[in-house]
Amino acid sequence: MLCVELLQLKEIYTMATAKTKKQPETTPNVEESALKELFVDELKDIYWAEKHLSKALVKLAKAATSDELRAALETHKAETDNQITRLEQVFELVEEKAVAKKCDAMDGLIKESEGIVEDTEDGSITRDVGIISAAQKSEHYEIASYGTLRTLANTLGYTEAAQLLDETLAEEKKTDELLTQLAESSINSGAKTEKA
Ligand SMILES: [Fe+2]
Ligand SMILES: [Fe+2]
């Protein structure tokens, strides 16, 4: 009889511990939360992305045909370097070391942009259409990342960090709009009759 009771007790204990293991611990301390960990992980991802994008923008500007596109890419390269510094300030504000973690998405987008330059004629407007397409894909990745990071910073109570992330988000959106304007005002139509 005692043996049966012990077995039942063991079963109840196993079920109870299995249940608690599945549920994440809640902690009143944001610094030790899983959300903070996720937030910092995303920061490391975009830090890597910005550093590599900065180099890629130099290459794209050199490859561009039109002066307007080259100027837009050079301006955004300077902005990107400032965004890297801003990210370092964010790391400091949340008391974490600024470490870059490979961003597979940006790595792929940069490789795609290099492929577009290789596959298009030097000095052609068609190349500019391709560069704008590649650059906008990167901008959209950044817009999604900074939107999430800004919101998470607010959720975690990092108001100052959220403001910095919001400044970058605004720059990324502005760049995306500028690229659309360039494509729609002259570049797309200029490429329309170019020979393949
Ligand atoms: Fe950026
Ligand atoms: Fe950007």
Side-chain angles (χ1 to χ4, degrees):
M1 186 64 186
L2 185 67
C3 201
V4 172
E5 277 171 1
L6 272 173
L7 276 173
Q8 280 174 339
L9 263 176
K10 197 185 165 202
E11 207 173 314
I12 290 164
Y13 175 77
T14 313
M15 278 167 67
T17 47
K19 207 177 171 189
T20 45
K21 263 180 200 163
K22 268 184 206 160
Q23 281 171 350
E25 273 180 76
T26 52
T27 165
N29 186 2
V30 156
E31 290 304 315
E32 289 164 19
S33 69
L35 191 62
K36 161 93 190 273
E37 207 178 290
L38 183 79
F39 171 72
V40 173
D41 229 52
E42 297 261 331
L43 270 181
K44 290 175 181 174
D45 172 285
I46 200 71
Y47 189 48
W48 191 98
E50 292 285 22
K51 283 184 155 194
H52 287 76
L53 198 55
S54 171
K55 291 179 203 151
L57 282 167
V58 175
K59 287 188 197 166
L60 289 178
K62 276 188 188 154
T65 301
S66 70
D67 292 338
E68 298 101 306
L69 180 58
R70 190 175 314 106
L73 295 168
E74 281 170 356
T75 302
H76 197 51
K77 146 72 175 139
E79 270 175 351
T80 299
D81 290 341
N82 194 33
Q83 291 167 357
I84 293 169
T85 309
R86 216 177 265 147
L87 278 173
E88 284 159 1
Q89 289 167 351
V90 171
F91 275 111
E92 216 178 301
L93 283 166
V94 303
E95 292 172 341
E96 294 285 337
K97 248 176 102 177
V99 178
K101 188 179 160 194
K102 191 183 175 188
C103 168
D104 290 327
M106 189 54 80
D107 189 45
L109 288 168
I110 290 171
K111 280 184 181 136
E112 267 194 29
S113 75
E114 289 166 351
I116 285 171
V117 171
E118 270 172 38
D119 294 344
T120 50
E121 207 63 44
D122 202 12
S124 69
I125 303 292
T126 307
R127 175 179 281 179
D128 281 3
V129 176
I131 289 176
I132 290 177
S133 154
Q136 284 194 292
K137 284 177 193 174
S138 301
E139 289 314 303
H140 281 236
Y141 181 81
E142 290 184 298
I143 290 167
S145 302
Y146 280 108
T148 302
L149 281 166
R150 185 260 331 256
T151 305
L152 286 182
N154 273 326
T155 305
L156 293 163
Y158 300 124
T159 322
E160 214 178 319
Q163 274 167 8
L164 290 173
L165 293 163
D166 201 41
E167 275 177 49
T168 299
L169 178 63
E171 284 174 1
E172 309 294 19
K173 285 182 179 172
K174 208 185 82 207
T175 302
D176 181 48
E177 278 163 24
L178 177 66
L179 290 169
T180 299
Q181 271 173 29
L182 277 176
E184 289 180 353
S185 66
S186 58
I187 290 177
N188 285 0
S189 57
K192 216 169 135 185
T193 53
E194 251 175 13
K195 245 184 117 212

